[in-house]
Amino acid sequence: MLQFRSSTVLKLFEATLKRPLSSSRQKTWLPTRRRCFGTASVDARSPSTQLKIFHAAAARRPALRAAPCAAPFRSYCAKTEGAVELDQQLKKDGVSTETGSDKRRAGILPSLEDLLFYAVAEGQETIPVHKFLTALKTTGLRTGDPRLKECMDTLKETLKNTTDGVTLDRHLFKKCVQSNIVLLTQAFRKKFVIPDFQSFSTHIDELYEGAKNLSEGQVADYIPQLAKFSPDLWAISVCTVDGQRHTVGDTKVPFCLQSCVKPLKYAVAVHDYGTEYVHSFIGKEPSGLRFNKLFLNDDDKPHNPMVNAGAIVCTSLIKVKAVMNFLKEMAGHEYVGFSNCFPEGTDMTSILDFYFQLCSIEVTCESASVMAATLANGGICPITGERVLSPEAVRNTLSLMHSCGMYDFSGQFAFHVGLPAKSGVAGGILLVVPNVMGIMCWSPPLDKLGNSVRGIQFCTDLVEHFNFHNYDNLRHFAKKHDPRREGGDQRLQTFGPMDYESLQQELALKAPLWKKVSSTESHQDCSTTVVYRMDTVAK
């Protein structure tokens, strides 16, 4: 398996930390970037008010969601160098440095687990498990999310030892969620890229229904395996860069990627060999010809890797085992199979054999949406945190998908939809909303250009409703609905006397692998900027 190491310098917590002027004056914290997960630090209050506290924490605290292109990280409950340094600085300034954990032990501050319990319990002393799981689903997270494995495993074991097998008191609930409390806190405080995911999912369902009644198009019949599919099959799967999932329709039916695999194997080739080497054999321009024309440009190269000629050349640079491993990692280890499209005994040779086999890689709508989300997330799989592809490979792939990914409809699609996409004759459309989400649309009936009729309709309707088109956000442009800003997105906030404890909790959640690169003080505005680095190894 391919191994690589990346070292990324991240501004983990770049904030202006105003030193207290006096005990009667407020301290103001002005975060300039959003990084990592946030936590809540509040005054001790009665259980009846804890519900409001958990959601109000989002308004009182900086929104610290990891940037989609940032290196993956894991959170641990450990005090970092930055916390120690700030602790010493605040001592010099005469500010109390009793940590949030100390105050919790003293019974003054509730834990994150307590806050989550009160938010879900709504004043009750126990929580029915189905109520917690239903609330979790509204955030977009699934119980099968790899990041929640510890929580779900503990939940199953804990329920075996309860009296009724269905409810949890506060102590048992805290035991179940503590291993994944950072992710759960982020979810319930609506700090994911799509804050109101339930409302967004409702809109997706409406767009799905709008395209469902289309009866135009023909199922591809020149490949026997494709001709067997019902024209009524129709599915949409969404996966955001934070791992929020929504599916509607026939999303668990396996189908072949066909040409949807072309951008993926191109990404593998660039990841392995780099841009310059790959494009010494393949061009970057749209051909203006049918995708299956074996035609070369003036430099005797295939026009681009999204047409058959370029994809065949690209295939010669990679190996089948490597491709399957990459696709499985891109899909978060969800379903990726193989379904050969040729009769037994067919004698195919070398690269053509491999080329057709890659087209026969089998996915479901759900697993393919995670692949698309990996591209949207800069090469990091959102549900595993693994870096699968280099940023260079992802950037190049999305650029070519935007200009060449939709056969002879590429120009029209770029004009009207304005997003990178790749279609295949099995009826799939792999759609990427950079830094937001990946979507797989699948419906076998094709138009005369080889694109899914329902899929094209859905993509068009999607950008008519949401501001996902690359140029929807120009100044003075008529604004569409932006699901990323549901509930607002304040960057500058003012805090009260509990601020320092809140900051310490933020830093304490960062992994011990984070190492401070630099600490710069500004005497002009009494601020400190701390930069951290994390070395990661992905396999």
Side-chain angles (χ1 to χ4, degrees):
M1 184 177 294
L2 180 68
Q3 298 186 11
F4 61 94
R5 184 177 183 87
S6 64
S7 178
T8 307
V9 177
L10 300 177
K11 293 184 178 179
L12 173 63
F13 194 86
E14 183 181 19
T16 304
L17 307 176
K18 297 292 184 181
R19 297 172 184 170
L21 300 179
S22 70
S23 59
S24 62
R25 298 280 299 275
Q26 273 194 336
K27 299 189 294 296
T28 302
W29 312 80
L30 303 176
T32 58
R33 295 289 305 273
R34 301 185 352 168
R35 294 290 182 198
C36 303
F37 296 122
T39 61
S41 176
V42 297
D43 299 301
R45 310 196 181 171
S46 64
S48 62
T49 62
Q50 295 294 351
L51 244 178
K52 297 179 181 178
I53 293 173
F54 186 80
H55 294 290
R60 297 184 59 227
R61 306 290 308 289
L64 300 175
R65 189 182 63 78
C69 59
F73 62 89
R74 297 290 184 268
S75 296
Y76 302 88
C77 290
K79 198 170 186 179
T80 63
E81 293 180 28
V84 175
E85 179 179 291
L86 290 171
D87 181 63
Q88 294 171 346
Q89 181 62 57
L90 269 291
K91 282 181 179 178
K92 291 180 181 179
D93 292 337
V95 179
S96 172
T97 56
E98 185 180 5
T99 64
S101 58
D102 292 335
K103 287 179 179 285
R104 289 197 198 102
R105 285 194 294 271
I108 299 176
L109 294 179
S111 66
L112 291 176
E113 293 87 344
D114 284 325
L115 293 175
L116 181 57
F117 175 84
Y118 294 132
V120 179
E122 296 181 327
Q124 301 300 311
E125 294 183 358
T126 60
I127 295 177
V129 173
H130 71 84
K131 183 176 182 179
F132 169 61
L133 297 181
T134 299
L136 182 67
K137 185 179 179 181
T138 64
T139 71
L141 291 183
R142 290 185 170 184
T143 56
D145 192 309
R147 298 168 296 175
L148 292 176
K149 186 177 187 305
E150 291 179 70
C151 174
M152 293 301 136
D153 288 347
T154 306
L155 187 62
K156 290 179 182 178
E157 290 300 316
T158 302
L159 287 176
K160 293 178 181 178
N161 300 318
T162 59
T163 55
D164 59 6
V166 294
T167 60
L168 299 172
D169 60 23
R170 185 168 62 91
H171 173 72
L172 292 178
F173 179 81
K174 291 171 64 175
K175 175 185 176 183
C176 293
V177 302
Q178 62 185 1
S179 57
N180 300 122
I181 188 59
V182 175
L183 180 63
L184 291 170
T185 298
Q186 189 189 32
F188 280 92
R189 286 177 58 198
K190 296 188 175 183
K191 294 301 179 183
F192 286 152
V193 65
I194 306 294
D196 190 352
F197 195 72
Q198 194 170 20
S199 174
F200 176 77
S201 299
T202 299
H203 287 304
I204 295 297
D205 291 346
E206 291 171 355
L207 298 180
Y208 170 88
E209 292 296 330
K212 186 176 182 179
N213 296 327
L214 295 177
S215 58
E216 295 84 358
Q218 298 293 324
V219 178
D221 57 6
Y222 55 90
I223 299 176
Q225 277 69 17
L226 300 186
K228 297 176 182 178
F229 283 107
S230 167
D232 297 326
L233 291 168
W234 172 219
I236 297 289
S237 287
V238 174
C239 178
T240 73
V241 294
D242 286 322
Q244 297 165 283
R245 311 284 296 275
H246 179 67
T247 62
V248 55
D250 306 299
T251 57
K252 296 186 181 298
V253 179
F255 62 92
C256 295
L257 279 171
Q258 292 297 323
S259 287
C260 288
V261 80
K262 289 174 181 174
L264 306 180
K265 61 185 176 184
Y266 166 76
V268 173
V270 173
H271 179 86
D272 283 350
Y273 299 105
T275 303
E276 185 176 353
Y277 182 78
V278 171
H279 284 286
S280 65
F281 302 99
I282 309 169
K284 308 182 187 76
E285 296 290 336
S287 67
L289 302 169
R290 291 285 292 173
F291 68 93
N292 55 1
K293 292 287 186 182
L294 295 179
F295 194 82
L296 304 180
N297 62 21
D298 293 340
D299 296 322
D300 291 329
K301 299 177 184 177
H303 285 78
N304 62 73
M306 303 299 151
V307 295
N308 288 3
I312 291 172
V313 174
C314 191
T315 301
S316 68
L317 302 175
I318 57 180
K319 297 180 180 179
V320 65
K321 184 176 180 180
V323 174
M324 289 297 289
N325 286 337
F326 268 105
L327 296 187
K328 288 178 180 178
E329 289 175 355
M330 286 184 72
H333 305 287
E334 294 190 0
Y335 177 80
V336 179
F338 185 81
S339 178
N340 202 319
C341 290
F342 298 91
E344 293 184 10
T346 300
D347 184 20
M348 299 177 294
T349 59
S350 190
I351 302 305
L352 283 179
D353 178 39
F354 186 22
Y355 169 79
F356 292 125
Q357 289 185 49
L358 291 180
C359 290
S360 302
I361 289 176
E362 204 172 57
V363 296
T364 65
C365 212
E366 296 187 17
S367 59
S369 70
V370 183
M371 294 179 180
T374 300
L375 293 175
N377 201 31
I380 297 173
C381 178
I383 66 172
T384 65
E386 298 176 355
R387 175 167 286 287
V388 185
L389 296 166
S390 67
E392 175 190 16
V394 174
R395 180 200 63 195
N396 292 355
T397 300
L398 295 180
S399 297
L400 288 168
M401 288 171 67
H402 185 80
S403 63
C404 313
M406 299 297 292
Y407 301 131
D408 293 342
F409 192 66
S410 296
Q412 292 272 17
F413 194 87
F415 184 88
H416 292 287
V417 179
L419 291 170
K422 185 69 188 82
S423 59
V425 294
I429 295 181
L430 194 75
L431 183 71
V432 176
V433 185
N435 298 321
V436 182
M437 67 183 66
I439 301 175
M440 173 55 90
C441 316
W442 177 59
S443 181
L446 310 177
D447 59 23
K448 62 181 181 181
L449 297 176
N451 298 315
S452 169
V453 173
R454 295 189 183 104
I456 292 292
Q457 185 65 51
F458 173 85
C459 294
T460 304
D461 292 343
L462 182 74
V463 296
E464 285 184 359
H465 187 78
F466 297 111
N467 65 337
F468 288 158
H469 190 293
N470 271 335
Y471 308 114
D472 270 341
N473 298 312
L474 296 174
R475 293 185 65 184
H476 312 301
F477 197 81
K479 299 302 181 183
K480 303 176 185 176
H481 181 63
D482 187 352
R484 293 161 287 191
R485 294 181 178 272
E486 202 78 23
D489 182 16
Q490 294 183 346
R491 297 296 181 91
L492 305 180
Q493 300 183 26
T494 301
F495 303 95
M498 300 301 295
D499 293 348
Y500 183 62
E501 285 75 8
S502 299
L503 173 61
Q504 284 188 312
Q505 291 177 46
E506 297 285 359
L507 292 174
L509 288 169
K510 309 304 182 285
L513 295 176
W514 295 85
K515 297 181 179 179
K516 187 172 68 176
V517 175
S518 64
S519 178
T520 306
E521 293 191 8
S522 171
H523 297 288
Q524 184 176 0
D525 61 359
C526 297
S527 67
T528 301
T529 298
V530 184
V531 179
Y532 287 81
R533 181 189 71 214
M534 181 180 180
D535 293 327
T536 61
V537 179
K539 296 182 179 180

